[in-house]
Amino acid sequence: MVPLTAEIGKTTLDSGWLAARSTEVQFSGTQLTTTHPPTGPTSPWMEAVVPGTVLSTLVKNKIVPDPFYGLENEAIIDIADAGREHYTFWFFTKFQCKLSANQHCDLNFRGINYSADVFINGHQMVLPKGMFRRHILDVTEILHPDGSNLLAVLVHPPDHPGKIPPEGGQGGDHEIGKDVATQYVEGWDWIAPIRDRNTGIWDEVSISVTGPVKIIDPHLVSSFFDNYKRVYLHATVELENKSAWVAECSLNIQVTADVEENTCLVEHLQTQHVSVPTKSKLQYTFPQLFFYKPNLWWPNGMGKQSLYMVSIDVDVKGHGESDSWKHHFGFRKIESYIDAATGGRLFKVNGEPIFIRGGNWILSDGLLRLSKKRYHTDIKFHADMNFNMIRCWGGGLAERPEFYYYCDYYGILVWQEFWITGDVDGRGDPVSNPNGPVDHDLFLFCARDTVKLLRNHPSLALWVGGNEQIPPKDINTALKKDLRLHPHFGSVNENGKPVEDSSLMLRDPSQYLDGTRVYIPGSLWDGFAEGNGSFSDGPYEIQNPEDFFKNDFYCYGFNPEVGSVGMPVAATIRATMPPEGWQIPVFRKLPDGYVKEVPNPIWEYHKYIPYSKPRKVHDQILLYGTPKDLDDFCIKAQLVNYIQYRALLEGWTSHMWSKYTGVLIWKTQNPWTGLRGQFYDHLLDQSAGFYGCRCAAEPIHVQLNLDTYVIEVVNTTSSELSNVSIEASVWDLEGTCPYYKVHETAPVPPKKVVPIAEMKYPKSKNPKPVYFLLLKLFMKSDYRILSRNFYWLHLQGGDYKLLEPYKKRKIPLKITSKVLIQGSTYKIQMHVHNTSKTQDSRLLSLRHGSTSSQGDVGFLSESPEIVKEQEVGLCKTIYRCLAGKSDDGSRVTEVNGHDAGVAFFLHFSVHASKREHGEGEDTRILPVHYSDNYFSLVPGESMPIAISFEVPPGVSPRVTLNGWNYHGHTIHEAV
């Protein structure tokens, strides 16, 4: 079949790839793409993962074991022992492209690690080194006239893969730092070494067809005046004329906004005439476009993430359409300066200060199996935790446009670092080379190319030279110059006050490399940590929860890294480790009364961090009693996870603006099956710490200061909070309410934390040694609850061992559920009601139903793709009651029980309907989005829970409920 003439635009080459080890291929690249192409996945060729790495291809084909399972990574030969040739691989594919007259074709690699030889139809091209650079090859003259083309790529590993010292360490022997590549691949204290050092075609491959003139890297910038009422869009584009004549062009820019489903409003349409000389490039800046009061882009928790679509296309006289480009764009202004009151770096978005609560990020997968679908889950999880910033750590990736797209969509600000770390670039054991990579020009080329790739994303908040280190002097000087601010974006002084500058009409800001975001030389400089480069982030281990609230816990205004525990649920341990890895730690009591945890070797390999800190923090799991087995250990770990991370964020928020401007937790997730510093595991199941963070980081929040026992109200919004009260109720283990009080509150100003009253119960007569505290911040006008916070507490010097017999209490529940099925997506609305009775008539909680005004906020909304691409009627909506139908199509499930009291630490999970399964077999359906989980209900309370997930083909889901005293109740099962 003769292929049709190629259309203008991009085609992604993401399927049909084969791979083979170079030493096992007998033919040259010329032969592979002419006379001897591989015919299929027959030895030595195998199906390849592209985008991906050599190791991800080997794992897919079961040539090597899964390096993330148990100790299997030790069975895979390391590049230091095998040599670079062992991981030098051929990648091969075919593609169709038939050009017409005056059409041109580029072959694009968005990321190769580390260098490559490219062969197309027998022609060779050598790609230069560098992991973080795009390669664009004009292949117009070497495509076959019939449109059938053969492509082979020989990929070489990094030049300096390094060795792994027996004791491990941060970045191995640091040799990888000589290359411009990911540094985590030699291992860190949170990940084992990646054996191929991420060798491969790790990012998108595509061909792009244009006419005579090509559009290159447009730059979009918005400038604001008159208190954000008068807004201008600036756009500069580079045009390349590939033809042998002067190209007379009509250059068009269009800005559209989504006003409702499937309807767009054209805000601006402008056409300019441009002449581009033959065989040359020309930079063109459009006349600025004026907008009056456009919808602004706001970070998560501050407002909507309004996005416009900016389209640029070029028509060439005598030819017609030549090229087009489009990108979503958010009107917003980010300012950043060192706050005089705290010494911390303060961020403003659209003139409003934003208190940063977020996390550190390495990358989504250590084998670079990156996907748009996983990025969507990752970023939505961060938004669900009410976070507003992600820091992309310098030893990982310059993150991909797909990552940034979802950060734009969900309102997550991004701190993007370049590829420098203190451990690999200046300190460590052995002491590493402080002069950074061998090739400084290569580093700067990759940095500038990364800026061009990412600069149009509204979520991108700042550039940072490196982690706990600054780049070498010449690189740092060049980055400062390249990323200097345009005067319009540098018009805030150190006190946050505008600086009058008559020179704002200088060069158009879109003509800068960036010009809109601050550049900071390193993560410990200029308002972060101590601010002058000293090692003053952390700590990174378990803490006493009350310590986070103390004035002396952390001495600086913005902590870029503070970390702690991260044990996943038991099902994840069984799914990622053989039975010998299911053994829980040995608790070894020390002479001073503290306990040291001794984990099994597999946990040790997976970087387990203990729940005790001898001489400082008593074991927080043992507070609940000695765990009996893996399940008992993991559920007690979830209790600790929830308390630990809620206290961390509440402690920082308690000092908002008076002491702190922000905090970033080390870290939100692991790019492998690690056992520390995470809110969801590598299989995408959330730990209870996820929901502790979600609670603590609410924009409007009621909390208990665990140091002073003062109830506080946090208002991070821009509006005053008035006509509100706080209900505080204490519940004991017998199901009675020994303490109840409603606190009247004065209006809470915007961006403030206000202490309300001391919680008197612990000082009352005969307080219970273990008790529950429920705080509710509600509107007095309609009892609508703005924030709900549930604590389990013990008296000073005590523990939670009395909760162990509480497992036997049977608290009755009534659960109403309704299911909406769209294709493979299930959306379930749950309503969970604690039906046990109390005789206390004081309880306001009995007079208002739902415990949350938010309900299913955001959790049943469509994904960005569905919102923007789904046609009306594309998905047939089916309501299905899975069992126990009622008149409205819902199902009612009752969990019987005769005790009164708190239904404690309830959590849903979703499984494939499979009654019998083998030991360690994982039946979970993941990921699942919950509006809340790991929640508790006092007598008479109810809570709406929204659950959303996709099911694999041929699988029927089963929703189960577990809890401290609930075990595996099936709530929903497909029929």
Side-chain angles (χ1 to χ4, degrees):
M1 180 178 179
V2 178
L4 298 175
T5 301
E7 295 183 358
I8 299 296
K10 184 179 81 171
T11 301
T12 302
L13 307 181
D14 57 0
S15 62
W17 286 84
L18 300 172
R21 183 171 282 114
S22 63
T23 55
E24 298 176 0
V25 175
Q26 300 176 354
F27 302 108
S28 67
T30 300
Q31 291 172 312
L32 290 174
T33 57
T34 53
T35 57
H36 292 81
T39 57
T42 56
S43 182
W45 295 92
M46 66 194 83
E47 293 183 0
V49 178
V50 176
T53 63
V54 169
L55 192 53
S56 58
T57 288
L58 294 173
V59 170
K60 176 183 178 179
N61 289 276
K62 301 187 181 338
I63 306 298
V64 300
D66 181 355
F68 294 174
Y69 183 85
L71 299 177
E72 296 294 348
N73 193 48
E74 292 297 280
I76 303 173
I77 190 168
D78 192 82
I79 192 172
D81 302 313
R84 292 176 69 246
E85 280 194 349
H86 186 76
Y87 288 109
T88 300
F89 264 62
W90 280 107
F91 292 86
F92 175 88
T93 193
K94 303 175 183 179
F95 66 92
Q96 297 288 321
C97 184
K98 182 178 175 64
L99 300 179
S100 63
N102 298 322
Q103 282 190 329
H104 298 261
C105 180
D106 286 337
L107 173 64
N108 311 297
F109 296 93
R110 211 169 65 181
I112 285 184
N113 191 26
Y114 187 60
S115 61
D117 299 301
V118 177
F119 295 82
I120 297 181
N121 302 332
H123 297 266
Q124 180 180 8
M125 289 162 281
V126 177
L127 298 189
K129 299 173 182 178
M131 184 173 180
F132 302 109
R133 65 184 300 169
R134 293 170 293 174
H135 303 277
I136 302 171
L137 306 175
D138 189 336
V139 296
T140 305
E141 300 301 323
I142 58 178
L143 296 184
H144 279 154
D146 67 359
S148 298
N149 301 282
L150 304 180
L151 168 62
V153 186
L154 181 64
V155 179
H156 304 277
D159 291 348
H160 302 89
K163 296 182 179 180
I164 313 303
E167 66 277 9
Q170 314 294 76
D173 66 358
H174 316 307
E175 282 292 296
I176 195 68
K178 293 180 179 179
D179 297 328
V180 184
T182 48
Q183 296 186 0
Y184 75 90
V185 289
E186 282 200 63
W188 225 267
D189 59 6
W190 44 265
I191 194 169
I194 305 297
R195 299 306 187 188
D196 70 342
R197 307 294 191 266
N198 284 160
T199 301
I201 306 173
W202 68 275
D203 200 6
E204 178 186 274
V205 185
S206 66
I207 55 171
S208 53
V209 175
T210 69
V213 175
K214 176 183 177 181
I215 296 172
I216 301 175
D217 291 331
H219 187 199
L220 308 176
V221 175
S222 53
S223 59
F224 299 85
F225 302 92
D226 300 338
N227 196 27
Y228 297 89
K229 295 177 183 177
R230 183 163 54 94
V231 182
Y232 295 94
L233 175 64
H234 309 262
T236 293
V237 63
E238 187 174 19
L239 301 173
E240 180 182 9
N241 181 4
K242 296 187 174 188
S243 71
W245 63 86
V246 175
E248 301 297 336
C249 303
S250 293
L251 187 60
N252 310 297
I253 185 168
Q254 177 176 288
V255 183
T256 59
D258 291 331
V259 292
E260 58 184 45
E261 188 175 0
N262 300 311
T263 303
C264 292
L265 175 66
V266 177
E267 296 272 356
H268 273 284
L269 177 60
Q270 185 186 97
T271 300
Q272 299 292 318
H273 175 78
V274 183
S275 295
V276 186
T278 180
K279 298 290 185 181
S280 65
K281 294 180 180 179
L282 178 147
Q283 188 181 76
Y284 180 80
T285 300
F286 285 92
Q288 59 192 22
L289 300 177
F290 172 70
F291 294 78
Y292 182 69
K293 291 186 177 180
N295 295 321
L296 301 182
W297 183 93
W298 293 96
N300 189 34
M302 293 183 69
K304 293 182 179 180
Q305 290 75 53
S306 298
L307 293 172
Y308 292 75
M309 182 59 71
V310 179
S311 302
I312 299 174
D313 60 82
V314 58
D315 291 350
V316 175
K317 185 177 180 180
H319 175 81
E321 181 187 15
S322 184
D323 198 7
S324 63
W325 176 93
K326 64 180 180 178
H327 201 286
H328 61 268
F329 183 74
F331 287 101
R332 64 95 184 95
K333 182 178 182 179
I334 293 179
E335 299 165 284
S336 171
Y337 57 89
I338 298 176
D339 176 47
T342 63
R345 181 156 290 274
L346 188 149
F347 290 87
K348 285 185 175 181
V349 178
N350 302 331
E352 295 284 347
I354 175 172
F355 188 70
I356 298 297
R357 292 174 292 188
N360 285 265
W361 168 272
I362 315 302
L363 68 168
S364 62
D365 180 73
L367 301 189
L368 300 186
R369 293 168 293 195
L370 311 178
S371 72
K372 196 171 183 180
K373 185 174 183 180
R374 187 175 181 107
Y375 274 139
H376 185 194
T377 298
D378 282 319
I379 304 309
K380 189 176 189 314
F381 275 176
H382 285 76
D384 291 346
M385 285 188 284
N386 290 311
F387 283 174
N388 53 31
M389 180 175 277
I390 291 176
R391 173 191 172 213
C392 293
W393 175 74
L397 292 182
E399 265 301 353
R400 302 296 87 196
E402 292 78 12
F403 170 93
Y404 276 90
Y405 169 76
Y406 289 113
C407 289
D408 295 343
Y409 188 87
Y410 287 110
I412 307 297
L413 297 171
V414 184
W415 157 338
Q416 179 65 66
E417 285 181 2
F418 296 112
W419 317 284
I420 295 288
T421 67
D423 300 273
V424 174
D425 299 290
R427 62 169 191 270
D429 184 15
V431 175
S432 55
N433 173 23
N435 200 37
V438 171
D439 190 336
H440 288 199
D441 289 338
L442 172 61
F443 186 99
L444 286 169
F445 182 94
C446 290
R448 291 164 183 146
D449 198 53
T450 296
V451 172
K452 293 176 182 178
L453 179 67
L454 302 176
R455 61 191 177 186
N456 292 317
H457 289 277
S459 58
L460 179 56
L462 74 160
W463 302 102
V464 177
N467 165 68
E468 296 170 355
Q469 180 64 293
I470 63 175
K473 185 176 181 180
D474 60 323
I475 293 178
N476 192 47
T477 299
L479 289 175
K480 281 183 177 180
K481 180 181 179 182
D482 289 343
L483 297 174
R484 66 195 184 280
L485 291 173
H486 183 276
H488 181 78
F489 300 94
S491 57
V492 173
N493 65 19
E494 62 183 7
N495 297 315
K497 295 181 179 179
V499 176
E500 295 298 329
D501 191 338
S502 59
S503 64
L504 294 183
M505 298 306 292
L506 295 176
R507 189 155 59 105
D508 188 288
S510 65
Q511 295 173 8
Y512 279 53
L513 179 63
D514 185 331
T516 67
R517 303 168 178 92
V518 68
Y519 167 75
I520 305 296
S523 66
L524 301 177
W525 278 259
D526 295 357
F528 299 124
E530 181 262 351
N532 293 310
S534 70
F535 192 74
S536 52
D537 42 8
Y540 300 94
E541 64 275 328
I542 193 76
Q543 303 294 318
N544 295 306
E546 63 273 16
D547 289 349
F548 291 115
F549 295 83
K550 294 179 178 178
N551 281 321
D552 61 353
F553 179 74
Y554 188 71
C555 301
Y556 311 107
F558 192 120
N559 194 340
E561 295 183 14
V562 56
S564 192
V565 293
M567 191 66 188
V569 299
T572 293
I573 296 297
R574 293 190 174 96
T576 58
M577 298 179 185
E580 54 267 32
W582 304 353
Q583 301 301 313
I584 64 175
V586 173
F587 296 92
R588 184 175 297 164
K589 193 165 185 178
L590 304 177
D592 60 3
Y594 285 88
V595 169
K596 179 181 180 180
E597 291 183 18
V598 182
N600 69 62
I602 299 180
W603 285 24
E604 186 99 35
Y605 191 80
H606 286 256
K607 314 296 184 176
Y608 174 77
I609 187 170
Y611 283 71
S612 64
K613 181 69 174 176
R615 295 181 298 281
K616 184 177 180 182
V617 181
H618 284 287
D619 196 285
Q620 298 293 288
I621 287 179
L622 292 182
L623 291 178
Y624 297 89
T626 303
K628 305 177 185 63
D629 53 26
L630 179 64
D631 292 287
D632 194 26
F633 181 91
C634 287
I635 192 61
K636 287 173 178 173
Q638 299 316 310
L639 290 164
V640 181
N641 291 346
Y642 193 103
I643 289 176
Q644 182 77 178
Y645 287 110
R646 178 179 60 180
L648 190 161
L649 285 183
E650 288 185 339
W652 245 269
T653 305
S654 181
H655 298 282
M656 179 174 69
W657 309 132
S658 62
K659 183 181 176 186
Y660 301 132
T661 59
V663 61
L664 298 173
I665 298 173
W666 183 266
K667 47 196 174 12
T668 56
Q669 47 74 251
N670 277 300
W672 78 309
T673 49
L675 301 180
R676 62 165 61 198
Q678 61 187 354
F679 301 126
Y680 58 95
D681 59 48
H682 192 61
L683 305 183
L684 299 177
D685 199 357
Q686 304 104 325
S687 74
F690 183 105
Y691 297 96
C693 286
R694 175 173 169 78
C695 172
E698 294 174 304
I700 296 173
H701 182 61
V702 60
Q703 64 185 36
L704 179 69
N705 185 312
L706 295 180
D707 182 40
T708 64
Y709 263 60
V710 169
I711 298 171
E712 301 170 339
V713 173
V714 178
N715 181 11
T716 66
T717 74
S718 301
S719 302
E720 182 180 81
L721 189 61
S722 59
N723 194 34
V724 295
S725 293
I726 296 172
E727 178 195 72
S729 58
V730 169
W731 298 82
D732 60 26
L733 298 182
E734 286 71 48
T736 62
C737 180
Y739 177 91
Y740 177 85
K741 186 173 180 61
V742 174
H743 298 277
E744 301 295 329
T745 67
V748 181
K751 314 286 184 184
K752 293 291 183 181
V753 179
V754 176
I756 302 301
E758 183 180 1
M759 183 64 198
K760 298 292 187 181
Y761 177 75
K763 299 179 180 179
S764 64
K765 186 177 181 181
N766 299 321
K768 300 299 177 70
V770 175
Y771 61 95
F772 305 112
L773 169 64
L774 177 60
L775 300 177
K776 292 181 180 179
L777 175 69
F778 64 94
M779 296 294 298
K780 290 191 288 186
S781 58
D782 57 5
Y783 297 120
R784 178 168 54 93
I785 297 176
L786 303 177
S787 175
R788 175 190 183 274
N789 206 344
F790 181 89
Y791 296 84
W792 52 102
L793 300 164
H794 60 72
L795 297 182
Q796 188 173 4
D799 56 40
Y800 294 113
K801 291 186 176 66
L802 287 176
L803 284 175
E804 187 66 27
Y806 197 71
K807 288 181 178 179
K808 299 179 180 178
R809 294 184 70 86
K810 301 301 180 184
I811 311 299
L813 294 177
K814 181 179 179 180
I815 303 169
T816 305
S817 54
K818 197 169 186 176
V819 180
L820 169 66
I821 305 173
Q822 293 179 321
S824 62
T825 300
Y826 279 67
K827 300 179 180 181
I828 304 178
Q829 293 279 7
M830 295 280 188
H831 191 266
V832 188
H833 183 201
N834 180 346
T835 58
S836 65
K837 306 298 181 183
T838 177
Q839 302 302 317
D840 200 325
S841 61
R842 301 171 300 170
L843 296 178
L844 182 63
S845 60
L846 297 180
R847 297 209 304 270
H848 50 85
S850 168
T851 61
S852 172
S853 64
Q854 297 180 0
D856 62 348
V857 170
F859 281 80
L860 295 190
S861 63
E862 302 287 2
S863 72
E865 291 90 348
I866 294 175
V867 168
K868 296 184 183 301
E869 298 173 11
Q870 175 177 302
E871 295 182 4
V872 175
L874 179 64
C875 296
K876 182 179 180 182
T877 301
I878 304 172
Y879 285 93
R880 179 186 297 169
C881 176
L882 299 180
K885 292 182 180 179
S886 63
D887 292 341
D888 65 353
S890 61
R891 173 191 172 182
V892 177
T893 301
E894 301 214 18
V895 180
N896 295 322
H898 302 288
D899 296 318
V902 172
F904 184 50
F905 217 52
L906 304 173
H907 52 100
F908 289 105
S909 57
V910 182
H911 300 259
S913 289
K914 193 175 183 181
R915 294 299 182 183
E916 297 182 4
H917 51 84
E919 186 179 33
E921 182 181 351
D922 193 4
T923 63
R924 290 172 297 173
I925 293 174
L926 296 171
V928 182
H929 298 278
Y930 303 92
S931 59
D932 207 351
N933 220 355
Y934 294 96
F935 60 97
S936 303
L937 297 174
V938 304
E941 257 199 317
S942 61
M943 177 177 286
I945 302 289
I947 305 175
S948 177
F949 56 92
E950 289 187 18
V951 296
V955 173
S956 298
R958 175 169 56 95
V959 181
T960 64
L961 177 69
N962 285 278
W964 191 248
N965 46 5
Y966 298 87
H967 307 290
H969 292 281
T970 296
I971 305 304
H972 252 128
E973 186 166 12
V975 293

